[in-house]
């Protein structure tokens, strides 16, 4: 496969009317990325050239999205057939993968299988076996049963030898629901590659609110009391104040809560176990400890979707410091600032927080 030159044509030209979205469904966010970006992430390692086919109304937005990936953008046609044809005109190499951006969760195994099948047999069509009972119906009446033994649902990607699929699209016209039908109409033999039901297509409104599988939620809470002659560090930011928080480390109560949330999401012990009160962690910078926790999250195979945290303090006021906290925390976790939200509240003078004896923080995280 290394010696093959592979292109991918990713189709984004639809409107997604059935999804009920106010914008092109492939430009909607699923977790931290759009459907299109998930597709680009999946295909980039395998392709020398990626062509994204866009509707004119979405062209400017799609050009910005694909810039980090080095993909090319071409305008689509008035039908899927014409959009594919436009994309194929820009494709280069030996093999081309044609994929609907509305299938953002395609696996690398499926992509590799389709490429290898196209290399050996001329085509590789992602497909899954039909598992439901299928019947032919007329006027709401079942008129016959259809054996499901040899029935498969077609998906994308669909991979082909580039010269063959170009020839098919040049010679054939008509209404086709997928590329394997065009390929077959031109006299070639489509060959399937077993895919997965996870490679689902975004179609209905409920698909737009789904997120990738295996998401995990974690929570964390921390509290530290005040003491004189201590620097007050919250969210990695030094806040000028008459006293600071007591702790073996820098007592960064917000960062501690976030670390505990991350660790709980991946099933690891809390920071008291990971960073015990020993000389090794005496006066430790909690932002540096957060980087260690982030590495554990990444090693577990998860990505941080977002952090939502709250600081509970009667004083000092946090409002002017929160933007800097978001910068420090997002940098430590290798995520964007918009993925970190921080709010602050008081306890209206109630309890030990209201009496100014300490600060507490809570945090919730979502991992993909």
């Amino acid at each position: 496969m290394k010696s093959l030159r592979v292109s991918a044509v990713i189709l984004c030209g639809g409107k997604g009317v059935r999804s009920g979205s106010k914008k092109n469904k492939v430009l909607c966010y699923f977790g931290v990325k759009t459907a299109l970006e998930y597709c680009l992430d999946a295909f980039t390692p395998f392709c020398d050239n990626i062509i994204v086919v866009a509707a004119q109304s979405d062209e400017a937005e799609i050009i910005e999205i694909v810039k980090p990936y080095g993909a090319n953008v071409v305008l689509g046609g008035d039908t899927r057939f014409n959009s594919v044809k436009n994309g194929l005109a820009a494709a280069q190499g030996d093999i081309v993968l044609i994929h609907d951006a509305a299938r953002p969760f395609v696996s690398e195994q499926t992509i590799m299988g389709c490429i290898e099948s196209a290399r050996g047999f001329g085509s590789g069509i992602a497909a899954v076996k039909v598992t439901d009972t299928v019947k032919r119906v007329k006027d709401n009446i079942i008129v016959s049963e259809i054996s499901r033994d040899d029935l498969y649902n077609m998906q994308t990607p669909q991979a082909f030898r580039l010269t063959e699929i170009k020839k098919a699209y040049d010679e054939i016209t008509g209404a086709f629901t997928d590329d394997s039908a065009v390929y077959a109409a031109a006299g070639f033999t489509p060959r399937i590659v077993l895919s997965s039901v996870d490679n689902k297509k975004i179609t209905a409104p409920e698909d737009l609110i789904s997120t990738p599988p295996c998401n995990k939620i974690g929570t964390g809470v921390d509290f530290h009391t005040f003491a004189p002659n201590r620097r007050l560090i919250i969210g990695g930011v030094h806040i000028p104040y008459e006293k600071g928080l007591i702790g073996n480390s820098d007592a960064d109560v917000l960062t501690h809560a976030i670390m505990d949330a991350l660790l709980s999401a991946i099933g690891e012990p809390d920071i008291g176990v990971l960073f015990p009160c020993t000389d090794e962690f005496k006066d430790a910078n909690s932002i540096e400890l957060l980087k260690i926790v982030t590495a554990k999250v990444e090693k577990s195979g998860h990505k941080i979707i977002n952090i939502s945290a709250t600081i509970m303090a009667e004083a000092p006021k946090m409002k002017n410091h929160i933007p800097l906290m978001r910068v420090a925390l997002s940098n430590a976790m290798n995520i964007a600032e918009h993925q970190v939200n921080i709010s602050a509240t008081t306890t209206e003078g109630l309890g030990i927080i209201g009496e100014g004896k300490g600060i507490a923080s809570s945090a919730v995280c979502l991992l993909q």
Side-chain angles (χ1 to χ4, degrees):
M1 289 176 63
K2 289 282 187 182
S3 61
L4 288 175
R5 292 175 301 150
V6 180
S7 288
V9 173
I10 300 178
L11 302 171
C12 302
K15 296 298 182 184
V17 174
R18 287 179 294 173
S19 71
S21 173
K22 293 182 179 180
K23 65 185 298 184
N24 189 334
K25 60 191 176 184
V26 304
L27 302 179
C28 292
Y29 277 84
F30 293 78
V32 298
K33 295 183 180 182
T34 62
L36 173 56
E37 287 171 289
Y38 281 112
C39 292
L40 291 167
D41 286 340
F43 284 92
T44 296
F46 302 99
C47 297
D48 305 287
N49 182 33
I50 295 180
I51 302 100
V52 177
V53 183
Q56 190 168 16
S57 58
D58 299 321
E59 183 183 18
E61 184 173 356
I62 288 176
I63 286 173
E64 288 301 311
I65 288 174
V66 307
K67 275 183 181 178
Y69 298 90
N72 300 313
V73 178
V74 301
L75 288 177
D78 55 351
T79 64
R80 186 186 189 280
F81 182 96
N82 289 330
S83 290
V84 173
K85 195 168 183 176
N86 290 355
L88 289 174
Q92 302 171 4
D94 307 297
I95 302 295
V96 63
L97 294 142
I98 302 172
H99 186 67
D100 295 323
R103 294 186 186 273
F105 308 133
V106 60
S107 70
E108 66 176 35
Q109 290 84 358
T110 296
I111 294 171
M112 290 174 63
C114 290
I115 294 172
E116 185 61 23
S117 180
R119 182 193 65 81
F121 304 102
S123 63
I125 315 301
V128 290
K129 193 170 180 60
V130 171
T131 57
D132 294 327
T133 298
V134 181
K135 298 180 185 290
R136 182 171 284 109
V137 176
K138 185 175 182 180
D139 297 329
N140 296 327
I141 297 173
I142 296 173
V143 295
S144 64
E145 294 193 14
I146 302 172
S147 173
R148 64 188 179 192
D149 291 346
D150 300 320
L151 295 181
Y152 288 80
N153 290 318
M154 299 298 105
Q155 299 179 338
T156 62
Q158 299 192 4
F160 307 92
R161 291 184 185 131
L162 182 58
T163 54
E164 293 179 354
I165 194 64
K166 276 189 172 182
K167 183 175 185 291
Y169 268 90
D170 286 340
E171 293 180 354
I172 303 300
T173 58
F176 294 92
T177 58
D178 77 337
D179 310 294
S180 66
V182 179
Y183 189 71
F188 298 106
T189 303
R191 185 182 182 92
I192 71 161
V193 172
L194 287 179
S195 181
S196 166
V197 293
D198 291 335
N199 184 23
K200 66 179 182 179
K201 188 175 183 181
I202 304 165
T203 303
E206 55 266 26
D207 296 327
L208 286 172
I209 59 171
S210 66
T211 52
C214 300
N215 287 352
K216 291 186 177 180
I217 296 173
T219 62
V221 177
D222 197 42
F223 178 86
H224 287 275
T225 54
F226 278 121
N229 303 316
R230 291 276 295 183
R231 296 174 79 234
L232 180 59
I233 307 294
I234 306 289
V237 176
H238 174 229
I239 300 175
Y241 193 53
E242 61 192 31
K243 49 192 173 182
L245 296 172
I246 300 174
N248 187 60
S249 66
D250 58 10
D252 186 338
V253 64
L254 172 60
T255 304
H256 290 183
I258 290 172
M259 287 193 286
D260 273 343
L262 294 170
L263 291 167
S264 74
I266 61 174
E268 292 279 349
D270 61 32
I271 58 173
V273 176
L274 188 60
F275 309 119
C277 293
T278 61
D279 289 343
E280 180 182 0
F281 300 106
K282 181 69 175 174
D283 298 323
N285 182 334
S286 294
I287 288 293
E288 295 302 316
L289 301 183
L290 177 58
K291 292 177 182 179
I292 296 173
V293 171
T294 299
K296 283 183 169 290
V297 171
E298 293 172 351
K299 187 177 180 180
S300 74
H302 292 85
K303 294 181 180 180
I304 300 171
I305 293 180
N306 77 300
I307 302 287
S308 181
T310 301
I311 305 165
M312 290 159 273
E314 202 69 25
K317 298 302 180 184
M318 301 290 169
K319 179 181 177 181
N320 294 334
H321 304 288
I322 285 176
L324 291 176
M325 294 179 194
R326 295 179 68 190
V327 171
L329 292 166
S330 61
N331 286 342
M333 292 182 282
N334 300 317
I335 58 178
E337 286 180 45
H338 72 81
Q339 293 172 256
V340 181
N341 188 63
I342 302 168
S343 58
T345 188
T346 69
T347 60
E348 300 293 337
L350 299 176
I352 57 176
I353 293 175
E355 294 169 3
K357 294 181 179 179
I359 295 177
S361 183
S362 64
V364 179
C365 71
L366 180 64
L367 306 185
Q368 174 197 313

